[in-house]
C-alpha cells in the first residue's frame, strides 16, 4: 500500500467538498503516507502536474489548475502543513 488516507486521495483529485467533509469529521490534515507526504503535499503536486499538463496539452487536464490551487488553500485553511 501507499499509506494514503481518504484525505490524501481527495486532495489528489481536488475533491474539495469531500475534503471539507473528512476534515469536519476528524480527518488528520497532517497525516503522512508511506512516502512522507501530507495531503497538502499531494495537493501541491497535483497543482504542479496540472500546470505542466496544461502547457503540454493546450489546456486539457483532469484537475484544473484553479481547482487544485483552491484545494491547497482549503487544506491550509484547515491548518495543513508540510
Amino acid at each position: 500500500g501507499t499509506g494514503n488516507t481518504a484525505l490524501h486521495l481527495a486532495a489528489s483529485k481536488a475533491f474539495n467538498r469531500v475534503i471539507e467533509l473528512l476534515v469536519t469529521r476528524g480527518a488528520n490534515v497532517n497525516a503522512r503516507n508511506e512516502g512522507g507526504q501530507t495531503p497538502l503535499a499531494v495537493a501541491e503536486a497535483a497543482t504542479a502536474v496540472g500546470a505542466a499538463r496544461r502547457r503540454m496539452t493546450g489546456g486539457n487536464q483532469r484537475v484544473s489548475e484553479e481547482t487544485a490551487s483552491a484545494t491547497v488553500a482549503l487544506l491550509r485553511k484547515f491548518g495543513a502543513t508540510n
Side-chain angles (χ1 to χ4, degrees):
T2 62
N4 284 332
T5 65
L7 192 54
H8 284 90
L9 297 175
S12 74
K13 302 291 185 189
F15 290 163
N16 294 343
R17 295 186 80 189
V18 175
I19 290 168
E20 288 183 38
L21 175 70
L22 291 169
V23 173
T24 58
R25 301 290 168 116
N28 179 357
V29 295
N30 293 311
R32 294 191 180 269
N33 63 16
E34 290 177 7
Q37 292 179 303
T38 63
L40 178 59
V42 170
E44 289 171 339
T47 302
V49 167
R53 190 174 286 144
R54 183 172 57 86
R55 285 191 298 275
M56 291 186 320
T57 63
N60 262 341
Q61 73 243 12
R62 282 185 223 152
V63 176
S64 77
E65 201 172 338
E66 297 80 25
T67 303
S69 294
T71 301
V72 169
L74 178 63
L75 287 164
R76 286 190 176 135
K77 179 182 114 177
F78 285 122
T81 60
N82 277 331

